[in-house]
């Protein structure tokens, strides 16, 4: 009798679990956002909405992209495949040119019966020229797409753009003098309202899709990609007023940088950025922070819609950036560096009812793992080729044992071609080189061109700004040997 009762109880539990509605996913991606937010300890940046999301989810203190450039990074985390698998190392190649049968993250949810849609930038877009288009999208990933375009695109000629001057001093010129601002430090304190900008329109379109899903009750995976704070840093004027230049501190940069770091590591320094005055640097940082806080307000609109539509208690919210961003550290700006500022990203995963919500995980994790993680959290299978490691154990217990490191890589020279394997001999003049880095909880170890163009080792317990390269010191030789082996073994 007792055995029969046990069987009936078990059957009832299985039936109840099967009848429970599946969790939805709201996947929010910011463009070029460093881990400079209030919830990550930044004393100046105002990010109240993302901070509240961190308080109701698990914040990953040490999350890293696999390649600090938009297209390679997005191709990686949207497929769950590393850049060396996708062969996407620049902003021109669409990953299906190499992997036509790859199964993307949204395709995984489509196969599980989810309604799948995209609003804004998930795969790569040129900014600002391709805003409002499909960019380098993957059509088979989506059932529905929306490509908003705001007044920030229409008013690009008002944008101030950094330009090197003939007198050795950089200056700002208006967009009337330059056809495109993409990839250049540029900004605009805009007229008008939040809703008129592209990101405001993205938030509004996403809210409409959420309302449709709330009405039909079908499980959904909705990906929302904001363009800010990617340059040009455009936000309504009120956000610039939050950051008076006089309150902005600039990073210390030693005068002998070239003696301290490999040439390959600093190769993305630009003449116009090196010639900026301190006043101009502060204006650039002001504009970046203003765009960050504006993007945060758009995230807040989405989170408020989840609550209003009574979707919050059955929707996983994941927020992250495609890569980090330099704001003058080591005289580096923007991305394409595998130092901490550029390789590290903010990552928050909020699962309804998770007892670990509000906690922080300090384990090193990778964006490539998001595919496996979200599938795992929703109880659906990921494609067998998917790489990375499900973060579910850390979502449920942020301090859980974790044997994995985080791996990042970046190219130097022409961002195309074939790269020599780590440790292999390379012929002189053989083309572009690759930098590869491994990040553990304590260490960052980096090899440029398999070590031929430089090696770096930083101790994050003593040197979080990565200013003292320990790689050549005898007392750290054993650490170098260990990390070299782990780096060359990769993220398996």
């Amino acid at each position: 009798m007792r055995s029969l009762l046990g069987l009936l109880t078990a059957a009832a539990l299985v039936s109840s679990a099967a009848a429970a509605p599946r969790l939805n996913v709201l996947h929010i991606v910011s463009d070029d956002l460093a881990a400079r937010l209030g919830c990550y300890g930044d004393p100046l940046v105002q990010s109240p909405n993302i901070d509240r999301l961190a308080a109701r989810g698990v914040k990953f203190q040490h999350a890293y992209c696999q390649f600090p450039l938009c297209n390679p990074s997005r191709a990686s985390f949207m497929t769950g495949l590393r850049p060396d698998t996708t062969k996407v190392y620049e902003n021109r190649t669409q990953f299906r040119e190499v992997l036509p049968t790859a199964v993307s993250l949204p395709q995984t949810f489509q196969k599980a019966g989810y309604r799948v849609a995209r609003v804004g930038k998930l795969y790569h877009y040129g900014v600002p020229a391709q805003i409002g288009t499909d960019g380098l999208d993957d059509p088979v990933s989506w059932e529905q797409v929306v490509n908003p375009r705001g007044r920030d695109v229409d008013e690009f000629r008002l944008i101030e753009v950094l330009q090197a001057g003939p007198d050795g001093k950089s200056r700002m010129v208006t967009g009337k003098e330059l056809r495109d601002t993409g990839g250049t430090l540029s900004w605009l304190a805009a007229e008008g309202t939040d809703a008129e900008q592209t990101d405001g329109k993205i938030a509004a379109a996403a809210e409409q899709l959420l309302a449709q899903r709330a009405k039909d009750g079908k499980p959904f995976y909705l990906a929302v990609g904001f363009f800010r704070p990617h340059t040009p840093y455009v936000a309504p004027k009120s956000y610039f007023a939050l950051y008076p230049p006089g309150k902005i501190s600039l990073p210390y940069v030693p005068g002998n940088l070239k003696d301290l770091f490999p040439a390959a590591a600093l190769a993305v320094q630009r003449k116009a950025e090196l010639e900026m005055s301190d006043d101009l640097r502060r204006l650039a940082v002001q504009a970046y922070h203003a765009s960050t806080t504006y993007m945060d307000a758009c995230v807040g609109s989405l989170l408020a819609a989840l609550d209003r539509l009574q979707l919050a208690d059955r929707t996983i919210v994941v927020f992250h950036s495609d890569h980090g961003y330099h704001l003058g550290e080591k005289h580096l700006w923007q991305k394409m560096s595998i130092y901490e500022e550029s390789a590290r990203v903010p990552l928050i995963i909020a699962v309804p009812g998770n007892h670990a919500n509000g906690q922080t995980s300090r384990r090193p994790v990778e964006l490539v793992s998001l595919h496996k993680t979200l599938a795992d959290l929703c109880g659906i299978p990921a494609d067998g080729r998917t790489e990375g490691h499900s973060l579910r154990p850390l979502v449920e217990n942020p301090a859980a044992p974790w044997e994995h490191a985080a791996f990042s890589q970046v190219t130097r020279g022409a961002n195309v071609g074939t790269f020599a394997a780590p440790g292999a001999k390379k012929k002189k003049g053989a083309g572009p080189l690759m930098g590869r880095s491994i990040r553990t909880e304590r260490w960052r170890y980096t090899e440029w061109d398999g070590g031929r163009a430089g090696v770096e080792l930083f101790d994050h317990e003593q040197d979080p700004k990565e200013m003292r390269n320990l790689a050549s010191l005898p007392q750290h030789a054993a650490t170098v040997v260990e990390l070299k082996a782990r780096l060359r073994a990769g993220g398996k």
Side-chain angles (χ1 to χ4, degrees):
M1 185 66 150
R2 186 176 300 171
S3 176
L4 177 59
L5 181 61
L7 288 172
L8 291 172
T9 301
L13 289 173
V14 170
S15 176
S16 175
R22 287 184 288 180
L23 288 172
N24 307 307
V25 176
L26 175 59
H27 186 178
I28 307 172
V29 181
S30 178
D31 201 356
D32 283 19
L33 177 67
R36 297 185 66 154
L37 300 165
C39 57
Y40 279 88
D42 193 285
L44 185 62
V45 175
Q46 299 182 39
S47 52
N49 298 292
I50 298 171
D51 296 350
R52 281 193 289 271
L53 179 63
R56 75 187 215 194
V58 173
K59 179 185 68 178
F60 289 86
Q61 190 71 18
H62 299 301
Y64 298 89
C65 70
Q66 277 43 80
F67 199 112
L69 184 66
C70 293
N71 190 32
S73 178
R74 290 166 183 269
S76 176
F77 69 71
M78 291 299 289
T79 60
L81 300 171
R82 297 184 183 279
D84 283 337
T85 302
T86 66
K87 305 300 181 187
V88 177
Y89 302 121
E90 28 64 27
N91 278 343
R92 297 181 297 278
T93 300
Q94 212 279 349
F95 72 89
R96 291 205 186 273
E97 296 173 21
V98 180
L99 300 171
T101 63
V103 177
S104 69
L105 175 55
Q107 282 181 298
T108 288
F109 279 89
Q110 282 191 63
K111 289 182 177 183
Y114 278 63
R115 300 297 302 273
V116 172
R118 166 185 69 77
V119 183
K121 180 177 179 177
L122 267 298
Y123 295 100
H124 178 60
Y125 283 65
V127 179
Q130 290 182 313
I131 292 178
T133 73
D134 278 329
L136 209 61
D137 197 24
D138 180 49
V140 299
S141 283
W142 316 106
E143 296 174 317
Q144 186 175 359
V145 299
V146 186
N147 294 313
R149 171 188 169 118
R151 67 181 291 174
D152 45 312
V153 182
D154 298 329
E155 296 178 346
F156 81 94
R157 291 184 180 278
L158 302 177
I159 292 170
E160 296 181 273
V161 184
L162 182 69
Q163 189 177 72
D167 56 356
K169 295 181 180 180
S170 295
R171 61 194 180 100
M172 304 304 294
V173 299
T174 65
K176 292 180 180 179
E177 298 181 51
L178 295 175
R179 187 173 181 83
D180 191 5
T181 63
T184 305
L185 295 186
S186 51
W187 54 84
L188 174 66
E191 301 290 346
T193 65
D194 289 18
E196 294 175 286
Q197 301 292 324
T198 296
D199 279 1
K201 291 179 179 291
I202 288 172
E207 289 175 44
Q208 290 180 356
L209 291 177
L210 288 173
Q212 292 174 17
R213 298 289 77 81
K215 185 176 180 179
D216 64 31
K218 295 180 179 178
F220 65 82
Y221 168 88
L222 174 60
V224 182
F226 293 115
F227 286 93
R228 300 294 169 245
H230 191 293
T231 183
Y233 316 132
V234 181
K237 285 183 176 180
S238 58
Y239 293 96
F240 282 72
L242 297 174
Y243 301 102
K247 292 187 177 182
I248 293 173
S249 299
L250 298 175
Y252 166 72
V253 182
N256 61 334
L257 277 179
K258 293 182 179 180
D259 299 326
L260 300 176
F261 306 104
L266 303 176
V268 288
Q269 291 176 336
R270 299 181 180 185
K271 184 173 185 293
E273 294 165 357
L274 290 170
E275 293 178 351
M276 295 169 71
S277 66
D278 283 350
D279 287 343
L280 201 51
R281 291 186 176 97
R282 289 189 177 91
L283 290 178
V285 174
Q286 176 197 37
Y288 182 84
H289 289 343
S291 296
T292 296
T293 300
Y294 169 59
M295 178 275 301
D296 175 83
C298 296
V299 171
S301 295
L302 287 184
L303 300 180
L306 277 184
D307 293 334
R308 184 176 66 253
L309 296 167
Q310 299 182 349
L311 291 169
D313 64 350
R314 50 194 172 99
T315 301
I316 295 171
V317 181
V318 56
F319 173 87
H320 63 92
S321 177
D322 52 355
H323 48 71
Y325 208 78
H326 277 286
L327 292 175
E329 303 87 3
K330 300 181 179 71
H331 283 321
L332 295 169
W333 290 82
Q334 303 191 64
K335 46 219 176 186
M336 288 295 282
S337 146
I338 41 179
Y339 289 120
E340 191 78 356
E341 293 87 357
S342 176
R344 182 181 174 219
V345 298
L347 172 62
I348 299 165
I349 301 177
V351 180
N354 181 24
H355 69 277
N357 285 343
Q359 297 183 38
T360 297
S361 179
R362 299 186 179 278
R363 306 301 190 218
V365 300
E366 307 173 287
L367 289 185
V368 71
S369 296
L370 283 175
H371 192 154
K372 280 185 176 177
T373 301
L374 293 176
D376 192 6
L377 289 170
C378 291
I380 61 178
D383 186 78
R385 293 167 290 181
T386 306
E387 298 174 302
H389 311 278
S390 173
L391 307 182
R392 182 172 179 172
L394 298 179
V395 172
E396 296 175 347
N397 175 12
W402 190 252
E403 63 182 15
H404 309 294
F407 297 84
S408 303
Q409 61 189 101
V410 73
T411 52
R412 289 292 182 261
N415 291 331
V416 292
T418 302
F419 299 92
K425 292 183 179 181
K426 183 177 178 182
K427 296 179 181 180
K428 186 176 181 180
L433 62 86
M434 184 76 78
R436 299 180 186 272
S437 190
I438 179 174
R439 180 69 159 88
T440 67
E441 286 195 49
R442 179 173 179 179
W443 303 99
R444 175 179 295 284
Y445 173 75
T446 301
E447 292 184 350
W448 293 98
D449 200 22
R452 291 173 288 270
V455 177
E456 297 175 281
L457 176 69
F458 301 103
D459 181 353
H460 272 259
E461 287 185 1
Q462 305 295 326
D463 181 25
K465 299 295 184 182
E466 298 180 336
M467 296 301 293
R468 187 176 181 222
N469 184 5
L470 307 175
S472 63
L473 299 182
Q475 60 266 40
H476 296 293
T479 300
V480 168
V481 169
E482 176 194 350
L483 293 176
K484 180 192 295 286
R486 292 187 68 182
L487 176 65
R488 296 185 179 187
K492 297 181 177 57

